[in-house]
């Protein structure tokens, strides 16, 4: 299945299938009770989502939508859970998938625990391993960057301006 930029793969609260991201970038956005949305996660090629439904079916915690044109493989939930039940060795595959997910989360945690001055650079470097021709500010809004790395949109704006000035050799 091909998703164009901005297209939803699934919506928060729905129930359905699982998906393996083959190409592209998917963002996971959680809608708060007050109507605001929070960028919760970025999903890169090789991940199966939703992570919380790998062992048992659950409604989607958040909505998933394409940041870039993306190719995903739909995995029938009925078939997935039936195969797990019929072939318990498959749980080992799920354990490896969850281990991979935890390692990615550990990498992403550094974005929120590093000194503020390094966070955008860390996110930029991480994204460039998957999308070397796509700068972070073309993929995500400043608000989303801030949500992902744990700083305000205003701080993101200021840091991007400083970064741009340094890139062009302008000193303050």
């Amino acid at each position: 299945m091909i998703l164009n930029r901005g297209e939803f793969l699934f919506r928060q609260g729905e129930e359905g299938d699982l998906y393996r991201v083959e190409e592209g970038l998917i963002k996971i956005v959680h809608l708060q009770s007050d109507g605001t949305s929070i960028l919760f996660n970025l999903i890169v090629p090789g991940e199966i989502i939703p992570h919380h439904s790998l062992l048992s079916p659950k409604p989607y915690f958040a909505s998933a939508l394409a940041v870039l044109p993306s190719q995903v493989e739909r995995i029938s939930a009925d078939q997935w859970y039936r195969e797990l039940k019929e072939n318990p060795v498959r749980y080992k595959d799920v354990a490896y998938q969850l281990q991979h997910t935890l390692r990615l989360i550990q990498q992403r945690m550094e974005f929120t625990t590093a000194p503020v001055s390094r966070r955008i650079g860390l996110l930029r470097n991480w994204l460039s391993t998957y999308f070397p021709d796509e700068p972070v500010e073309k993929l995500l809004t400043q608000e989303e960057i801030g949500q992902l790395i744990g700083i305000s949109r205003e701080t993101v704006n200021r840091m991007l301006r400083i970064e741009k000035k340094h890139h062009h050799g302008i000193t303050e």
Side-chain angles (χ1 to χ4, degrees):
M1 158 190 322
I2 303 292
L3 294 173
N4 295 310
R5 185 180 184 124
E7 274 189 278
F8 281 87
L9 179 59
F10 54 77
R11 293 183 188 270
Q12 181 175 325
E14 297 176 343
E15 293 185 30
D17 294 326
L18 291 90
Y19 299 89
R20 177 179 286 111
V21 178
E22 302 289 338
E23 294 178 24
L25 181 64
I26 305 291
K27 66 181 175 181
I28 306 299
V29 179
H30 183 74
L31 185 62
Q32 307 277 57
S33 60
D34 67 0
T36 59
S37 61
I38 303 288
L39 176 60
F40 187 75
N41 203 355
L42 293 174
I43 306 300
V44 296
E47 290 189 74
I48 297 176
I49 56 173
H51 299 131
H52 71 276
S53 292
L54 289 173
L55 295 172
S56 61
K58 302 267 189 254
Y60 299 131
F61 169 77
S63 297
L65 60 150
V67 175
L68 293 171
S70 300
Q71 181 174 339
V72 297
E73 174 192 353
R74 179 187 305 265
I75 303 168
S76 162
D78 291 339
Q79 179 181 345
W80 177 267
Y81 300 119
R82 184 175 52 253
E83 287 179 13
L84 283 176
K85 185 177 180 180
E86 292 171 359
N87 186 1
V89 173
R90 293 279 325 264
Y91 282 103
K92 185 176 181 181
D93 295 335
V94 173
Y96 283 130
Q97 178 65 37
L98 290 171
Q99 174 181 279
H100 174 72
T101 299
L102 286 173
R103 288 180 177 162
L104 286 173
I105 290 170
Q106 286 173 326
Q107 292 171 358
R108 296 172 194 151
M109 291 278 299
E110 190 175 5
F111 307 156
T112 60
T113 59
V116 171
S117 62
R118 294 187 49 231
R119 292 181 187 182
I120 291 176
L122 290 168
L123 175 60
R124 186 183 306 283
N125 289 342
W126 180 77
L127 279 171
S128 73
T129 62
Y130 298 96
F131 312 102
D133 300 326
E134 299 287 346
V136 66
E137 55 271 40
K138 299 284 187 205
L139 296 173
L140 304 171
T141 67
Q142 291 181 4
E143 183 73 28
E144 291 172 329
I145 293 169
Q147 290 171 355
L148 200 59
I149 64 175
I151 59 178
S152 69
R153 186 207 54 81
E154 293 80 6
T155 302
V156 171
N157 182 283
R158 183 172 34 82
M159 292 173 72
L160 289 173
R161 282 195 328 264
I162 291 169
E163 200 178 79
K164 188 175 181 179
K165 285 180 182 178
H166 286 151
H167 179 72
H168 294 299
I170 302 168
T171 57
E172 292 186 1

